[in-house]
Amino acid sequence: MSLTLLHTADWQLGKQFAQVPGDAGATLRLRRLDTVKAIAELARERQVDAVLVAGDVFEDNAVSDETLRRTMHALAPFEGPWVLLPGNHDAGLTQSAWSRLRRLAVVPANVILADRPEPIVLCGGRLVVLPAPLRRRHEVGDLTEWYDTLRSDAGVLRVGLAHGAVTNRLPETAEAHNPVADTRVETASLDYLALGDWHGTLEVANRTWYAGTPEPDRFKTNEPGNVLLVTLREGGAPSQVEKVPVGYYRWVRLTFDIMDDQALAVLDSRLAALGESERTLVRLKLTGTVDLATRQQLDERLDGWRARLHFLEVDDTALLARTGPDDLAALIAELGATGFVRDAIETLVGIEGDAGHPDQADAGRALQILYREHKALRQ
């Protein structure tokens, strides 16, 4: 006999995406609800026995009532049990998203708000889910310790549901708040430990998995965008875990070196190769040294890609201008510069050509800006 669970986490519905301004950020926020609907459809299609959401269902406890209502509506395609756990973003405070959901009376009968550390019996008694809800954003102690004290009848599958950092297993950059022992599966005789908090899909210890956020939300290469289909077998047999991609947007980091105008065509090819540009966000770091005319061509091409990609963020702090004394006359003639503009160009070119000048790099960037803005004014 076996049971199949869908494990997901870190939806963070209502996330504002301050780093992605305008319509692009607003679209990302709305898409997260569509991804939840896709998860519900998947649960229905695969006929899972329950869906476990391991914390951070909401971005914070101040999300709008509309978001709360829309979330409950998004769950509708799957009529089996949903278990929603408070995480560090939406901790189960006295006044929280969870208390407001109850007050609004919009929670369907098949949706369980697991905001209390008490066993949840499902599947006719064949499965017990042990939630460890966060009552505040940061906990010093391990809230999963109580699992060890609860005994179950023979043949009952035991699954822990928690949100935090597994000790001794995550990278040093991970937050150390809300610790979860890396031996909890063994000490509590769990068949599976479903975790949230780490935004990538990761098997972090024996039968212990982070599902990761189902809709990527940052430029990190830790394999987000999945949910986990977990098949549990009675009798202590190993669980079977299947990663299923559900994310819509892709967040891509690129570094590209430009030395001349011929490199621009290669950059175009690199960006085009990403495919589905309207679903792609790119953080592009540019390096190299270019003349001002090439820089102008580069800016025009990047403007074109901003219109095609969902979002393009460019870091050009390491891309330097190259304007030697021999180029001064041609630059002044091209811009038709006279008066103080010409004086500024001559001064900046002189500083840029002085390797010992403390403002050499700033002079190159100032030349790029002056060239771009003055040329735009003359068009």
Side-chain angles (χ1 to χ4, degrees):
M1 299 293 291
S2 65
L3 294 175
T4 300
L5 310 177
L6 193 155
H7 168 201
T8 179
D10 298 290
W11 293 354
Q12 291 185 216
L13 300 172
K15 188 177 179 69
Q16 293 299 309
F17 292 99
Q19 78 275 33
V20 182
D23 291 345
T27 304
L28 292 177
R29 183 168 64 254
L30 292 174
R31 179 67 213 183
R32 301 184 84 76
L33 275 168
D34 291 334
T35 299
V36 171
K37 293 177 185 176
I39 292 171
E41 293 283 359
L42 176 66
R44 179 182 58 80
E45 293 169 3
R46 300 294 287 264
Q47 298 182 331
V48 304
D49 293 289
V51 179
L52 308 183
V53 188
D56 284 1
V57 176
F58 304 106
E59 170 65 4
D60 53 45
N61 279 318
V63 294
S64 67
D65 287 354
E66 180 184 3
T67 296
L68 297 178
R69 289 189 174 97
R70 287 182 178 274
T71 300
M72 295 299 103
H73 178 70
L75 308 182
F78 177 64
E79 298 178 352
W82 294 82
V83 181
L84 309 185
L85 181 81
N88 61 305
H89 278 257
D90 53 6
L93 310 174
T94 302
Q95 297 298 323
S96 64
W98 311 98
S99 63
R100 287 164 55 213
L101 277 168
R102 288 193 170 96
R103 187 169 64 250
L104 291 169
V106 294
V107 182
N110 63 318
V111 176
I112 301 166
L113 307 186
D115 55 353
R116 298 179 180 86
E118 55 191 32
I120 299 169
V121 179
L122 300 173
C123 304
R126 296 171 56 206
L127 171 68
V128 61
V129 176
L130 310 179
L134 292 179
R135 299 292 186 88
R136 52 187 175 180
R137 186 173 181 87
H138 295 148
E139 294 283 357
V140 177
D142 184 347
L143 299 185
T144 68
E145 287 183 351
W146 76 272
Y147 297 175
D148 296 357
T149 65
L150 183 81
R151 295 292 173 258
S152 302
D153 293 336
V156 175
L157 293 166
R158 293 164 56 90
V159 173
L161 183 64
H163 190 91
V166 176
T167 55
N168 308 314
R169 298 298 181 111
L170 291 174
E172 293 181 0
T173 55
E175 292 188 2
H177 305 297
N178 309 317
V180 177
D182 60 352
T183 57
R184 187 61 64 210
V185 163
E186 287 78 17
T187 60
S189 300
L190 299 179
D191 293 279
Y192 185 79
L193 178 53
L195 295 174
D197 193 41
W198 185 253
H199 278 212
T201 304
L202 179 66
E203 182 181 15
V204 71
N206 178 38
R207 304 190 188 197
T208 305
W209 283 78
Y210 286 99
T213 180
E215 185 58 51
D217 57 3
R218 62 190 73 176
F219 293 103
K220 290 189 72 173
T221 55
N222 59 351
E223 201 177 354
N226 305 303
V227 297
L228 299 176
L229 288 172
V230 183
T231 301
L232 304 177
R233 295 179 173 84
E234 297 174 0
S239 56
Q240 176 183 330
V241 180
E242 176 188 355
K243 288 186 288 187
V244 181
V246 294
Y248 183 82
Y249 287 106
R250 296 176 301 153
W251 297 58
V252 180
R253 300 174 67 172
L254 290 178
T255 298
F256 191 81
D257 188 62
I258 300 178
M259 300 303 295
D260 53 40
D261 59 356
Q262 296 180 9
L264 301 182
V266 179
L267 176 60
D268 277 339
S269 297
R270 287 279 301 276
L271 292 172
L274 296 176
E276 297 185 294
S277 56
E278 72 281 356
R279 296 173 59 175
T280 304
L281 296 87
V282 176
R283 174 176 286 172
L284 176 62
K285 181 176 178 61
L286 296 173
T287 62
T289 306
V290 296
D291 59 41
L292 295 179
T294 301
R295 177 58 199 246
Q296 179 70 12
Q297 296 178 53
L298 170 64
D299 288 341
E300 292 171 354
R301 292 183 184 227
L302 291 177
D303 286 341
W305 279 107
R306 286 189 177 93
R308 295 168 61 183
L309 294 164
H310 187 78
F311 177 70
L312 174 62
E313 176 187 295
V314 178
D315 177 3
D316 60 359
T317 55
L319 183 65
L320 303 179
R322 181 179 63 241
T323 309
D326 294 340
D327 302 319
L328 179 58
L331 177 61
I332 291 173
E334 180 182 354
L335 295 179
T338 59
F340 75 92
V341 175
R342 176 171 180 156
D343 293 342
I345 291 173
E346 291 175 342
T347 299
L348 290 171
V349 169
I351 294 174
E352 189 204 13
D354 182 357
H357 198 286
D359 298 324
Q360 183 188 34
D362 291 336
R365 283 189 284 271
L367 273 170
Q368 293 173 0
I369 296 170
L370 189 152
Y371 177 82
R372 181 169 61 248
E373 296 300 325
H374 196 61
K375 188 168 182 177
L377 288 172
R378 295 185 69 245
Q379 290 178 346

